[in-house]
Amino acid sequence: MSTAAMTSPMTAPVRTGPASIFKSLFVQVLIALLLGIAFGVLTPDFAISLKILSDAFLKLISMIVAPIVFCVVVHGIAGAGDLKKVGRVGVKALLYFEVMTSVALVFGIVLAFLFGPGHGMNIDTSALDPKALSTYADNAHKLQGGGIGGFILNIIPTTSIDALSRNDVLQVLFFAVLFGVALALVGEKGEKVTSLIDAVSTVLFRVMGLIVRTAPLGVLGAIAYTVGKYGVGSLEQLLSLVALYYGALAAFVIIILGFVMRFAGVSIFKFLSYMREELTIVLATASSDAVLPQIMRKLERMGIKSSVVGLVIPTGYSFNLDAFSIYLTLAVVFIAQATNTPLSLGDLLLVLGVSLVTSKGAHGVPGSAIVILAATLQAVPTIPAIGLVLVLSVDWFIGMARAVGNLIGNCVATVVIAAWEGDLDRQTAEKVLGGKETVDVTAG
C-alpha cells in the first residue's frame, strides 16, 4: 500500500494519546484543582500568594461580561422581529423563576427540619463576635433600606455607561431590553446598528475564548489560596451543614430539575455532561460570571434560539437563584437550631415571604450570600441576626456549590422555556448532547 493511501483523510489515525487529552480544558482544570490542593497542604504560605492568579482571572472575566450581555440581549430582541413573542418569553421566564424559587426555599426548610444540622451546638449568642458581622450588616441595611420600591428603582441605571462600568447585570439588562425593543420598532433604519452589535458580539466572544484558556491558572490560584488559608480541616465545625447543603443541591438538581427537564425531553445527566467544563470552572472559582458567554453560546449550539438564550440567561442571573434560595432558608433554620431559637409556623412563613424578595437581585452584591442572609435575618426578629457569624467561616466552600447550582438552574430554565415556546430544536439537542457533534465555544 502506498504512503499516500495510508495517510488519506479516510484512513488517517485519530490522535487520542496523552498529548491530545491534556489539550482538553476540562482535563487542565482538573489538574489545576489537584495542584491547588497539593500546594495548599504542602506549602500554605506559597499557596496563599497564588490568590493573585484567581483575582486576575476574575477581573478579566468581569471586564467583558457586561458588554457581552448587552450585545447578546439587544441582538436577540432586535432579531426576534416579533415583540409580542419577546414579551411572552419574558412572562414565562418570570413565572418559571418564581415557581422554582418558591420550591427551592421550601426545599431548604424541609431538609433543615428533617436533618437538624444545628441541633446540639447550643451556641451562646453573647459569645459571638459582632465585629465579624458589621460589614455585612451595613451592606444588608443598604440593600433593605428602600424596600421593594428601592429594589425596583435600583433596576433603573443612573446612566447606561454607569451600569456597564459597574458590571451591574440587572441594570445592563434593563437598558439592553429597552434598546433592543427600540431597534425592533425602528425597523429598517436600525438594521445597520443591529448588524454592528452582532459583529461586536462575535469579537467579544472571541476575546472571551482567549480569556477562558487561562481558566486553569485561575482555578489553581483559587483552590490553593482556600486550602492554604483555611486548611483541609477548616470545615470540621460545620461539616454537617456543608454536607447537607451539597447533598440537598445534588438532590434538587437530579430529582426536581431532572423532572422539569423531562418536560423538554432532555436528559439531565447528558445535559450536565455537556456543560462539565463550565461547571468545573464555576465550582473552582465560586463565580458563575466566569462562564456566562460560553454557556450562552453552548445553549445556542444545542438548538435553542438566540433570542430565548439572550433574554432568559441574563435575567436568571438575578431572578433565578435556585441554589442560593436553598441555602438561604437552610442557613436561617440552621442558625435558629444552633442558637436554640424556637420557630413557629408564622416565623417560617415570614422567612419564606421575606426570602422571596431578598433573594432577587443578589447577584453582583459584594458578599451577596452573607448580605442577603443578613437582610433576611434582620427582617425576622425572632432569630438572632448575630448568629450569622456561624456560617462566615464556610461560606466560601458553600459558595462553590451554590454558584454551580445557580448556573445549572438557569441553564435548565432556558431549555424548559425554549421547549415551552417551541424554540428548541430537539434533533439538534439530541445530536449535540449525544456527542455526535463537536462544540467549540471559543470559536467566534
Side-chain angles (χ1 to χ4, degrees):
M1 183 179 291
S2 68
T3 304
M6 291 178 64
T7 58
S8 66
M10 296 298 293
T11 60
V14 178
R15 295 182 180 180
T16 57
S20 61
I21 292 177
F22 286 114
K23 289 181 180 179
S24 167
L25 183 62
F26 177 66
V27 174
Q28 292 173 4
V29 169
L30 285 180
I31 293 174
L33 278 168
L34 296 176
L35 286 176
I37 294 173
F39 283 142
V41 172
L42 300 176
T43 58
D45 292 337
F46 174 69
I48 291 175
S49 69
L50 292 179
K51 186 175 184 287
I52 188 175
L53 297 177
S54 174
D55 291 342
F57 175 69
L58 292 178
K59 284 193 72 175
L60 286 171
I61 295 296
S62 178
M63 172 185 71
I64 202 168
V65 165
I68 282 183
V69 168
F70 175 78
C71 290
V72 169
V73 173
V74 170
H75 185 264
I77 294 176
D82 185 1
L83 290 181
K84 290 183 179 180
K85 179 181 177 63
V86 174
R88 188 169 63 247
V89 171
V91 170
K92 288 180 178 179
L94 292 177
L95 176 62
Y96 175 89
F97 294 161
E98 285 304 312
V99 171
M100 292 309 297
T101 296
S102 300
V103 171
L105 290 171
V106 173
F107 192 67
I109 287 180
V110 170
L111 287 176
F113 275 99
L114 190 62
F115 292 94
H119 286 313
M121 294 187 72
N122 300 317
I123 299 297
D124 180 8
T125 55
S126 63
L128 298 176
D129 182 10
K131 293 182 180 179
L133 188 63
S134 58
T135 301
Y136 299 103
D138 290 342
N139 287 336
H141 178 70
K142 293 177 183 177
L143 190 69
Q144 267 192 311
I148 297 178
F151 170 74
I152 294 175
L153 285 176
N154 189 55
I155 296 177
I156 305 173
T158 303
T159 67
S160 55
I161 302 300
D162 176 61
L164 286 167
S165 65
R166 291 188 296 104
N167 266 330
D168 191 318
V169 174
L170 198 56
Q171 291 188 355
V172 170
L173 178 64
F174 178 84
F175 179 67
V177 170
L178 287 179
F179 197 89
V181 169
L183 273 182
L185 292 174
V186 168
E188 293 183 4
K189 293 182 178 180
E191 289 180 358
K192 291 184 178 179
V193 178
T194 303
S195 298
L196 175 62
I197 289 177
D198 183 37
V200 172
S201 176
T202 301
V203 174
L204 289 174
F205 270 111
R206 173 59 72 180
V207 173
M208 179 56 74
L210 297 175
I211 295 174
V212 167
R213 289 300 177 186
T214 67
L217 292 176
V219 170
L220 172 64
I223 293 300
Y225 171 79
T226 302
V227 176
K229 183 174 179 62
Y230 300 107
V232 177
S234 58
L235 298 181
E236 290 181 0
Q237 182 182 357
L238 301 173
L239 182 61
S240 60
L241 175 64
V242 176
L244 178 58
Y245 180 72
Y246 273 71
L249 193 55
F252 184 85
V253 169
I254 295 173
I255 299 174
I256 297 179
L257 293 185
F259 176 78
V260 171
M261 284 287 272
R262 290 186 62 183
F263 169 80
V266 177
S267 166
I268 187 66
F269 296 105
K270 289 183 178 179
F271 186 69
L272 294 178
S273 177
Y274 175 59
M275 298 290 184
R276 65 185 182 277
E277 290 184 355
E278 289 74 23
L279 295 179
T280 304
I281 293 172
V282 173
L283 179 65
T285 61
S287 172
S288 54
D289 282 344
V291 295
L292 174 61
Q294 302 98 287
I295 284 294
M296 296 175 75
R297 181 58 60 88
K298 271 197 167 183
L299 290 171
E300 289 175 8
R301 295 195 176 182
M302 187 183 132
I304 300 176
K305 287 189 176 180
S306 60
S307 57
V308 175
V309 174
L311 184 61
V312 177
I313 286 291
T315 307
Y317 261 55
S318 289
F319 285 93
N320 187 44
L321 306 175
D322 295 340
F324 176 77
S325 298
I326 295 173
Y327 173 71
L328 192 57
T329 49
L330 179 61
V332 168
V333 177
F334 168 79
I335 291 172
Q337 292 172 345
T339 56
N340 297 318
T341 303
L343 293 176
S344 65
L345 178 60
D347 292 328
L348 293 176
L349 292 176
L350 181 58
V351 168
L352 283 175
V354 171
S355 299
L356 275 172
V357 177
T358 56
S359 63
K360 299 296 182 290
H363 179 77
V365 177
S368 60
I370 298 298
V371 172
I372 303 302
L373 184 54
T376 305
L377 289 173
Q378 288 180 359
V380 186
T382 305
I383 307 173
I386 192 63
L388 183 62
V389 174
L390 294 173
V391 299
L392 286 179
S393 61
V394 295
D395 183 70
W396 199 95
F397 296 97
I398 290 179
M400 295 165 64
R402 194 167 55 223
V404 170
N406 286 336
L407 182 63
I408 293 173
N410 283 326
C411 291
V412 168
T414 307
V415 174
V416 172
I417 292 168
W420 188 1
E421 188 65 17
D423 287 337
L424 171 64
D425 187 331
R426 297 181 187 275
Q427 291 184 342
T428 300
E430 183 178 349
K431 184 186 298 184
V432 171
L433 295 182
K436 298 177 182 178
E437 181 177 311
T438 303
V439 177
D440 180 11
V441 295
T442 66

